[in-house]
Amino acid sequence: MRHIAALLPNSVWGNVLFVVICMSWTYNVINGVPCDDNNTAVLDTRDLWRIPNTIQCVDIRSLGNRSFIPDFPGIQSATTLHADHMRLVTVPDFVLIKLPNLQLLDLSGNRLRKIVKDIFLPYEKLDTLLINDNEILLPKTPFLNSKSISTLVLSNNKIKKLKLNTFMQLPNLVKLYLDRNLLNQVNPNTFNTLKHLKYLHLGSNQFKALPQIALVQSEAVLIFKGNPFNKINVNDTSRI
């Protein structure tokens, strides 16, 4: 398997750094102070909670599918919530009430299908939303409305189709992960409203031909690792 990376000609897709196949990749989406035992409030069903003096993160993964927790000192200062793999079918209500300073929300590995479009709009600090490994159904209208989210992870949601307006109300997206879905084609203009998009992961979908995609950012990175391409001519520099 070869690693192919090159600048596309301006006349084709602009100055887009196009990565067709790469040997390895990671999400690398969590920035800032990492969560550890000294700054993470850990809650579980036995009420054996560990609440540090300074709270940066809240971990509720052991609460199962509960959607409510009582107040405790310092919770409003938390910037990260780990609510992954809890069998949740909706975004927990307390997230919207008790965590006003949230910057990173991890809801991966749940059973989410629909998310209210404007649910995160009031949260001007929310930067990273992880909703990979769910059952997300993309609506005919724009998916989410947020001016703050810059990283959105939608990997492994069995998504088959994107509409032209799917991401149009996420104007500040910088990183978008759509890998491990069921996409086999995409309209070239699907992402052209995302003026700040610098990283687009479309790996491990069902593309059989290299799609034409228009991105605004110069030297933006596109990933296509793991797609069942019929044939890629690595010498065809008009496409790569």
Side-chain angles (χ1 to χ4, degrees), residues 26-31 61 79-85 88 91-92 102-112 115 120 126-136 143-144 149-157 173 175-177 180:
T26 59
Y27 281 144
N28 193 27
V29 296
I30 300 178
N31 300 314
R61 288 175 287 187
T79 59
T80 297
L81 175 65
H82 295 289
D84 54 291
H85 298 89
L88 297 172
V91 178
L102 205 60
Q103 297 176 22
L104 186 150
L105 175 57
D106 186 355
L107 291 167
S108 61
N110 282 295
R111 298 175 182 174
L112 301 176
I115 299 178
F120 301 120
L126 183 61
D127 174 81
T128 301
L129 178 61
L130 282 65
I131 47 177
N132 51 290
D133 300 285
N134 277 280
E135 302 170 9
I136 299 296
F143 173 48
L144 289 175
I149 293 176
S150 67
T151 297
L152 175 62
V153 182
L154 272 167
S155 312
N156 195 27
N157 274 287
L173 270 186
K175 297 179 181 179
L176 177 57
Y177 294 80
R180 295 182 292 132

Side-chain angles (χ1 to χ4, degrees), residues 160-172:
K160 295 182 178 180
K161 187 176 182 180
L162 303 175
K163 296 189 178 298
L164 283 174
N165 63 358
T166 297
F167 303 111
M168 69 180 301
Q169 292 188 341
L170 293 166
N172 290 309

Side-chain angles (χ1 to χ4, degrees), residues 39-228:
N39 63 15
T40 301
V42 180
L43 319 182
D44 66 29
T45 54
R46 299 166 297 175
D47 294 331
L48 299 175
W49 296 5
R50 186 182 73 233
I51 310 297
N53 292 328
T54 301
I55 298 175
Q56 176 84 22
C57 311
V58 177
D59 185 338
I60 63 170
R61 288 175 287 187
S62 295
L63 291 180
N65 59 0
R66 289 188 187 182
S67 59
F68 174 80
I69 61 172
D71 285 313
F72 57 86
I75 186 174
Q76 291 196 347
S77 66
T79 59
T80 297
L81 175 65
H82 295 289
D84 54 291
H85 298 89
M86 293 178 61
R87 304 187 302 279
L88 297 172
V89 295
T90 60
V91 178
D93 292 338
F94 76 85
V95 172
L96 311 177
I97 300 171
K98 299 179 180 179
L99 298 169
N101 294 303
L102 205 60
Q103 297 176 22
L104 186 150
L105 175 57
D106 186 355
L107 291 167
S108 61
N110 282 295
R111 298 175 182 174
L112 301 176
R113 294 176 65 85
K114 296 181 180 180
I115 299 178
V116 177
K117 184 184 72 170
D118 296 329
I119 193 169
F120 301 120
L121 187 59
Y123 298 87
E124 298 179 354
K125 297 181 180 179
L126 183 61
D127 174 81
T128 301
L129 178 61
L130 282 65
I131 47 177
N132 51 290
D133 300 285
N134 277 280
E135 302 170 9
I136 299 296
L137 299 174
L138 295 180
K140 295 180 180 180
T141 55
F143 173 48
L144 289 175
N145 184 10
S146 170
K147 293 180 173 61
S148 63
I149 293 176
S150 67
T151 297
L152 175 62
V153 182
L154 272 167
S155 312
N156 195 27
N157 274 287
K158 299 181 181 179
I159 296 170
K160 295 182 178 180
K161 187 176 182 180
L162 303 175
K163 296 189 178 298
L164 283 174
N165 63 358
T166 297
F167 303 111
M168 69 180 301
Q169 292 188 341
L170 293 166
N172 290 309
L173 270 186
V174 175
K175 297 179 181 179
L176 177 57
Y177 294 80
L178 288 163
D179 53 295
R180 295 182 292 132
N181 281 296
L182 300 174
L183 298 168
N184 59 24
Q185 59 182 355
V186 61
N187 188 297
N189 298 315
T190 300
F191 309 103
N192 65 1
T193 60
L194 303 178
K195 308 299 184 183
H196 305 286
L197 191 64
K198 294 182 179 180
Y199 186 94
L200 175 59
H201 201 322
L202 288 166
S204 298
N205 276 281
Q206 297 299 315
F207 293 105
K208 294 184 178 180
L210 204 59
Q212 302 271 346
I213 294 177
L215 294 182
V216 175
Q217 277 289 321
S218 63
E219 299 189 4
V221 175
L222 285 82
I223 305 293
F224 277 96
K225 173 190 176 183
N227 279 283

